[in-house]
Amino acid sequence: MKTYIVGSINTDFVIECERLPKLGETVQGGNFLINAGGKGANQAHACAKLGGVVKMCGRIGDDLYGERWRDSLKDSGVDVSHVKTAEGCMTGCAVITVFEGNNSIIIDSGANSKITKEDIDSFLNDASKGDILLCQLENPIDIVGYALKCAHERGTTTVLNPAPANTEIAEYLKYVDIITPNEHEVELMGGVEHLLSLGLKTVITTLGENGYEIASRGFSKRYPCLKVTPVDTTAAGDTFCGGLCAKLSLGYDIEESCRFASAAASISTTRYGASASIPTKDEVIKYLK
Ligand code: RIB
């Protein structure tokens, strides 16, 4: 079974600093890195590297980086036949500051905002029951909502990573089967019980270094994650989502899929960068042993 990913592709400009600058202040940083990012692309890399069969729909710009990031997705094994170039547009971009292992991010959507309903129609043309659609919120919300609706109507399992938080997605939650918010996002969406009452089957809340919680009707349990020393948490959530879908598409249940996804996410925090930090399936298996 395949994982269809509708999502963003960004150029990440990352710099680490020992102290965050105040408004109007300049501080010395280091470890500057330009790498492939975007929640959609990171999740596609993760899903493919962790054993899934992945097809991605997105837009790059015709700048210095777009082609490079499309090629890197291809190198990870992602089908990029629906990653198109938006002429006269910059590839989406993220300026990321890493401070004490955590990050703050500013994004410019660029070409990510150019994705259309027609793109979604042709992308999901061969999606069927048993396949998975995975989305995030770095593309226009109406397009993400449309993709969820189309997939839902085809009987495809829909997974939403509601990041970055955006309450406008509320009207489309009726098309979502599994949602993967972090603590902040789940609160903004009204809490786990509220989400379940809307008809979502499973809410998986990621809790950073405290692991994750799986909740469905009449079931709720917290699970710890591997203890590691993080250097950069960028894309940890994306690695989790990609790994989750890779395992689900192979027929594993939610608990086992989350266990594997969480281990992959923990490993990613021990490395710098976004897509660059994502481990392979074999690395995760070795680590779990
Ligand atoms: O989730 C991490 C990603 O968020 C980064 O790669 C950055 O591009 C932003 O979209």
Side-chain angles (χ1 to χ4, degrees):
M1 292 302 168
K2 249 184 232 156
T3 301
Y4 290 72
I5 298 182
V6 172
S8 56
I9 300 166
N10 290 342
T11 308
D12 284 2
F13 297 92
V14 189
I15 194 157
E16 194 176 20
C17 60
E18 286 179 4
R19 187 169 71 74
L20 288 172
K22 297 192 193 91
L23 204 61
E25 189 192 16
T26 303
V27 296
Q28 186 68 44
N31 289 331
F32 179 66
L33 175 74
I34 299 177
N35 78 132
K39 294 186 192 303
N42 295 339
Q43 293 179 19
H45 277 288
C47 192
K49 287 173 92 171
L50 295 167
V53 177
V54 191
K55 201 170 156 181
M56 178 162 185
C57 176
R59 292 277 184 137
I60 51 171
D62 55 2
D63 56 5
L64 273 179
Y65 297 106
E67 278 292 333
R68 203 162 134 193
W69 305 150
R70 177 160 51 198
D71 288 347
S72 76
L73 281 162
K74 208 167 158 187
D75 290 345
S76 287
V78 177
D79 175 345
V80 292
S81 53
H82 289 260
V83 175
K84 295 193 197 149
T85 306
E87 305 296 333
C89 226
M90 291 291 285
T91 301
C93 135
V95 176
I96 304 180
T97 313
V98 177
F99 171 65
E100 291 183 341
N102 291 307
N103 61 54
S104 39
I105 305 181
I106 303 174
I107 53 173
D108 177 350
S109 299
N112 294 312
S113 64
K114 301 292 179 193
I115 193 165
T116 64
K117 289 187 176 170
E118 290 69 36
D119 291 341
I120 302 298
D121 287 337
S122 73
F123 180 58
L124 291 177
N125 196 27
D126 60 353
S128 60
K129 216 175 161 145
D131 289 327
I132 296 172
L133 170 74
L134 171 60
C135 299
Q136 327 70 35
L137 304 179
E138 283 186 340
N139 296 106
I141 299 296
D142 60 325
I143 303 293
V144 176
Y146 181 72
L148 291 167
K149 179 174 181 284
C150 293
H152 176 79
E153 283 167 359
R154 305 182 80 90
T156 300
T157 299
T158 54
V159 181
L160 176 67
N161 175 225
N166 188 329
T167 50
E168 285 169 30
I169 197 65
E171 65 176 288
Y172 302 102
L173 292 178
K174 53 180 177 265
Y175 306 121
V176 177
D177 294 308
I178 301 171
I179 194 162
T180 59
N182 63 20
E183 280 170 293
H184 163 67
E185 289 150 3
V186 82
E187 208 180 297
L188 208 81
M189 298 178 100
V192 174
E193 286 310 318
H194 172 68
L195 289 168
L196 291 174
S197 76
L198 297 177
L200 280 89
K201 295 191 184 89
T202 311
V203 180
I204 303 167
T205 310
T206 53
L207 307 167
E209 61 182 354
N210 296 317
Y212 55 93
E213 179 189 273
I214 303 176
S216 53
R217 284 268 165 99
F219 175 86
S220 171
K221 190 172 170 187
R222 281 196 176 205
Y223 302 78
C225 61
L226 295 177
K227 292 289 164 241
V228 293
T229 306
V231 294
D232 179 3
T233 56
T234 311
D238 299 333
T239 305
F240 185 94
C241 294
L244 170 73
C245 291
K247 282 293 189 185
L248 289 175
S249 69
L250 292 169
Y252 289 85
D253 65 16
I254 292 268
E255 272 187 292
E256 179 52 24
S257 299
C258 284
R259 190 177 83 93
F260 185 85
S262 167
S266 292
I267 296 171
S268 78
T269 67
T270 64
R271 302 167 180 177
Y272 285 99
S275 63
S277 70
I278 299 165
T280 61
K281 180 178 75 177
D282 291 343
E283 285 176 302
V284 180
I285 292 171
K286 205 167 143 194
Y287 208 90
L288 282 172
K289 275 182 184 159

